[in-house]
Amino acid sequence: MHIQIERFDDELEDLIKKVYNNPFRSFVKMNGVTMSETHKKFSDAIENFQVRDDDVWVCSIPKSGTTWTQEMVWCIANDLDYERGKISLTDRFPYFDLSARSEWPAILKANPGIQIRREMVDSVNYVADLPSPRFIKTHLPFKFLPRQLRTGEKKPKIIYIARNAKDTCISRYHYCRITENLQGSFEDWCNLFLQGGVMYGPYWKHVLGYWEQRIEDNVLFLKYEDMKQDLPSVIKKTATFLGKNLTTDQLSSLTEHLSFESMKLNPAANNEDLIHLMKEITPSKFEGKFMRSGKINQWKSEMTPDMIERFDQWTRENLKGTGLSF
């Protein structure tokens, strides 16, 4: 895929600089998508990555329920092997484009005593060397995926998890406030989100890029809200997609394992080590956890009526005629 770098307009550029206070983060507009400048170093390796038909990919925009979906998918595919599931989810289900997010060599130079996971420096080749079956997480838009995935040359399982835009915006704000020491107001962040100035944005282009692929038999499109409202049904749907049959007892067991309360207390899945690492790199005055509340409709109490209307109008404009709703 040819990479074309474009300029942000001056207003958006100024807003990005106002909100972010991270010396290891530099954004560019790449093929219409806000990406880390570091992505350019890995674009060829990502484009030419050798996909395997028995891979399982979980794709999303950040803070859409990715970790929850990863744990569900891994448990189903591995016959509810909770003992092996005590291994960190980041080992069982690595983040494909992790090294393309930040300038890790510069981070290490500035923080010589810091301990990072080895795949952070080159996650693409790290994933390439894993034995099959590989479970792979990515936040890349569909058009940034490896060529063999985009063209259908390889047909691994792809599960996309989407979440209401307002709740995604709020959840991501609280997470980035802790890990990136965000400046400015919540309203500034919302404006950045609406304008596609948050990494992997614009939001709706990301979601619709995968929504358009749902007709493919190797693609499953899930919604966070459905998981919250009827988790057993989503588990069964995902199991069928993965070619697995669960007994009534297994379904009950996995539903309990995937409850927000259980996930928040599960050290293999709650990503607290990541929070500590990011706070070492970019100290922040804000405190919080990776799994904060897991609730739906947070926007009702956290957004102003004016901001809610702006998000709703933006959503209506982008979803008109697509068949997708939240």
Side-chain angles (χ1 to χ4, degrees):
M1 179 180 66
H2 174 68
I3 296 294
Q4 181 176 348
I5 305 299
E6 310 159 58
R7 287 189 70 252
F8 294 112
D9 65 53
D10 292 341
E11 181 183 348
L12 184 54
E13 180 79 36
D14 290 344
L15 188 56
I16 291 171
K17 289 178 179 177
K18 177 182 179 181
V19 169
Y20 278 93
N21 185 36
N22 187 335
F24 308 111
R25 179 78 78 220
S26 179
F27 294 118
V28 294
K29 194 174 183 181
M30 193 178 295
N31 292 20
V33 178
T34 299
M35 299 292 283
S36 169
E37 192 168 11
T38 311
H39 186 89
K40 292 184 290 186
K41 300 178 181 179
F42 296 91
S43 59
D44 286 343
I46 290 172
E47 174 71 5
N48 298 308
F49 181 80
Q50 295 298 299
V51 178
R52 302 173 194 164
D53 285 318
D54 61 354
D55 288 341
V56 179
W57 293 68
V58 164
C59 311
S60 70
I61 208 159
K63 305 309 291 180
S64 297
T66 320
T67 301
W68 197 16
T69 306
Q70 286 175 265
E71 184 71 6
M72 175 181 69
V73 168
W74 190 91
C75 287
I76 293 170
N78 289 277
D79 302 314
L80 279 60
D81 188 346
Y82 296 131
E83 187 61 33
R84 195 152 60 95
K86 292 178 181 178
I87 298 170
S88 173
L89 186 60
T90 53
D91 289 319
R92 292 180 279 130
F93 220 127
Y95 182 179
F96 178 63
D97 44 306
L98 175 61
S99 55
R101 281 189 56 126
S102 295
E103 187 56 71
W104 291 105
I107 290 171
L108 291 173
K109 185 176 180 180
N111 301 271
I114 206 162
Q115 298 294 315
I116 69 169
R117 299 173 60 84
R118 62 188 180 92
E119 68 268 24
M120 287 180 171
V121 177
D122 189 353
S123 56
V124 179
N125 281 317
Y126 172 80
V127 172
D129 292 338
L130 292 175
S132 291
R134 298 179 302 192
F135 295 86
I136 304 168
K137 160 193 166 180
T138 185
H139 290 312
L140 292 174
F142 184 81
K143 67 180 181 180
F144 277 76
L145 291 178
R147 181 184 61 254
Q148 291 180 335
L149 278 179
R150 299 195 317 271
T151 62
E153 179 183 340
K154 295 289 185 178
K155 290 278 192 178
K157 299 292 187 183
I158 299 173
I159 298 105
Y160 187 81
I161 178 68
R163 187 181 189 182
N164 175 289
K166 296 193 289 287
D167 281 342
T168 301
C169 175
I170 291 168
S171 181
R172 201 164 173 187
Y173 169 72
H174 287 290
Y175 173 71
C176 289
R177 192 171 65 156
I178 299 165
T179 59
E180 310 231 28
N181 194 27
L182 295 183
Q183 304 300 299
S185 65
F186 175 57
E187 184 175 0
D188 289 329
W189 173 263
C190 289
N191 286 327
L192 197 62
F193 193 94
L194 286 164
Q195 294 179 58
V198 175
M199 189 154 63
Y200 302 115
Y203 173 83
W204 286 119
K205 286 187 177 180
H206 197 294
V207 173
L208 292 173
Y210 285 91
W211 174 249
E212 291 165 0
Q213 301 300 316
R214 73 193 186 284
I215 59 173
E216 301 294 333
D217 57 11
N218 67 313
V219 177
L220 178 64
F221 191 99
L222 300 176
K223 296 180 187 178
Y224 182 91
E225 289 75 18
D226 292 340
M227 292 179 70
K228 289 294 295 184
Q229 292 167 359
D230 191 353
L231 182 56
S233 291
V234 177
I235 291 173
K236 288 191 287 186
K237 182 178 183 178
T238 306
T240 299
F241 177 71
L242 294 172
K244 296 287 186 176
N245 292 309
L246 300 180
T247 66
T248 301
D249 287 345
Q250 286 176 320
L251 180 61
S252 176
S253 170
L254 185 53
T255 300
E256 173 59 29
H257 177 75
L258 293 172
S259 70
F260 183 78
E261 292 74 19
S262 294
M263 288 285 290
K264 196 169 185 177
L265 295 173
N266 182 354
N270 64 20
N271 276 331
E272 287 306 303
D273 56 340
L274 176 61
I275 292 289
H276 294 312
L277 173 62
M278 297 308 293
K279 290 200 71 172
E280 279 188 75
I281 296 168
T282 309
S284 170
K285 63 182 178 181
F286 303 108
E287 297 293 334
K289 294 184 177 295
F290 182 85
M291 294 184 180
R292 190 178 57 88
S293 72
K295 295 178 181 178
I296 59 175
N297 297 329
Q298 301 172 68
W299 53 268
K300 291 182 178 180
S301 60
E302 298 205 32
M303 284 185 172
T304 64
D306 178 65
M307 189 61 72
I308 291 170
E309 177 53 33
R310 288 181 61 194
F311 265 81
D312 288 347
Q313 178 61 29
W314 173 68
T315 296
R316 287 191 292 269
E317 291 171 357
N318 281 277
L319 294 189
K320 185 177 180 180
T322 66
L324 178 61
S325 63
F326 284 87

